[in-house]
Structures are given as C-alpha cells and as structure tokens.
Amino acid sequence: EPEVTQTPSHQVTQMGQEVILRCVPISNHLYFYWYRQILGQKVEFLVSFYNNEISEKSEIFDDQFSVERPDGSNFTLKIRSTKLEDSAMYFCASRADLGMNTEAFFGQGTRLTVV
Amino acid sequence: GQNIDQPTEMTATEGAIVQINCTYQTSGFNGLFWYQQHAGEAPTFLSYNVLDGLEEKGRFSSFLSRSKGYSYLLLKELQMKDSASYLCAVGTNSNYQLIWGAGTKLIIKP
C-alpha cells in the first residue's frame, strides 16, 4: 500500500540552527501539507502546497519557515533558525485531489527537539 | 472564528460501546473527518461525512448533522487496541486545510 514517508524520524538540534525535514508524498498525489503537533496539544496546520507553490499557510508559518519540492518526489520543510518552541512532531500529508471524501494520508512524523 | 470542540478524555470498558461527540463552527464546510491517533504516531483516517446521517464502517460509525454543527463517532465492541486519541477535523470552503479539534483521548479498561 502506498504511504507517505518522512525522514528523519527524530532530530535534535540546537537553538538557532537550521533544520530540513523531508517527506516523500504518495506518488500520484497533488496536494501536500505540513502539520505540527506540540506534545499533548492539537494538530496544527502549517502550510499547503499545490502546483509548485504555497496554496495556504497559517499564522505559525512565518518567515522562518519555507517549503520546497526540489524534484518530483521530495517535499521539504525548512526552519531557518530554530527556537525552543519549534519542538514538536511534524507531520507531512498528501491528498490525491480536493474532491469529496478525499482523505489526507499522513507520514509517521519527525519528532523535532530543539535544545 | 473557527472552532471545533470535543471532550478531552473518555473512559469505556472493553466490549462496550462509546460515542465521541464533536461540535464545530467554521467559516465553511466541505465535510467532516474522523482520525485515530495512537500516542507518538501519525493520525490515520477513519471516516468522512459530508451529508447528514450515519455512515457505518465495521465497528465504527460516524454521524453528521450539518444544521446543528454536530458529529459523533460511535465505536462498538471496544477492544483494548482502540485506546487512542480520536480527532475530529473539518474541511473548510478552501479545502486546502483541515481545521482540527484537540482530540478525545479514549481509555479502554478491561
């Protein structure tokens, strides 16, 4: 069964450092998302991406964040200068289309710890 | 504003039935999703409702009333493995993003 894969599964970084979280969406999907979930809190939308550009982004997705689809398979989230409060699980998701009942498939997440 | 409310935690007994409620107020509505999330893992899709009524899928059923801004997830014949958080999420008019509830942690006791 096709799945969304994310690497690394865990990342520890020092405050102020740049991190890149990587995702390989399901191959025929068109819409890509990043969500985050701070420990014990709700899933929060960060950004959606379609046709090689950002479709929507939340208030969380400030200038420190960027996304890229550098080739036909990878979808990356970059945090330029990490802060302690960026520590969270980051989930990548993809959807085939925006039609009714089209579910988002989630990767297993990257646990980012900023120290 | 956008708001989705679910109970924080519920406890039920193995073999029993439990109903998890979700109420929502969103700027648009393109369907309501239920996801299951085990601790430390990604959410996995359970069900989708866009029309009023009950959708049944094995031990799980989901109900929607759009006029009331209300949905519930019904879990029958509870098993220990059903212990997880259950997340209610609404697709808004743009449908690029899902608005998520905080999740209901379901604890199953033997």
Side-chain angles (χ1 to χ4, degrees), chain A residues 31 33 35 37 42-43 45 48 55-56 91 95 98 100-101 103-104 106-107, chain B residues 33 35 37 40-43 45 48 50 87 94-98 100-102:
Chain A
Y31 297 89
Y33 306 81
Y35 292 87
Q37 188 174 32
K42 68 168 68 176
V43 176
F45 169 76
S48 61
S55 310
E56 280 185 286
F91 292 108
R95 295 172 80 177
L98 293 183
M100 300 295 225
N101 87 348
E103 64 184 275
F106 283 77
Chain B
F33 296 79
Y35 279 79
Q37 186 180 29
E41 298 182 10
F45 173 79
Y48 172 82
V50 68
L87 312 178
S94 74
N95 220 18
Y96 286 110
Q97 61 168 301
L98 296 176
W100 295 82

Side-chain angles (χ1 to χ4, degrees), chain A residues 9-10 21 35-39 86-91 108-112, chain B residues 37 40-42:
Chain A
S9 57
H10 295 80
L21 310 183
Y35 292 87
R36 80 171 185 191
Q37 188 174 32
I38 296 170
L39 186 64
D86 294 327
S87 295
M89 279 288 279
Y90 287 81
F91 292 108
Q108 287 304 305
T110 294
R111 181 173 298 282
L112 177 66
Chain B
Q37 186 180 29
E41 298 182 10

Side-chain angles (χ1 to χ4, degrees), chain B residues 4 22-24 29-35 45 47-51 62-64 69-73 87-91 98:
Chain B
I4 297 181
C22 171
T23 57
Y24 63 90
F29 183 80
N30 261 344
L32 188 142
F33 296 79
W34 283 96
Y35 279 79
F45 173 79
S47 69
Y48 172 82
N49 294 69
V50 68
L51 300 176
S62 55
F63 171 83
L64 175 67
Y70 167 70
S71 172
Y72 67 73
L73 180 70
L87 312 178
C88 172
V90 173
L98 296 176

Side-chain angles (χ1 to χ4, degrees), chain A residues 1-5 23-32 69 72-73 92-96 103-107:
Chain A
E1 185 175 324
E3 59 180 13
V4 177
T5 57
C23 170
V24 179
I26 295 173
S27 62
N28 63 342
H29 283 191
L30 301 176
Y31 297 89
F32 314 117
R69 189 155 163 82
S73 59
C92 172
S94 69
R95 295 172 80 177
E103 64 184 275
F105 289 82
F106 283 77

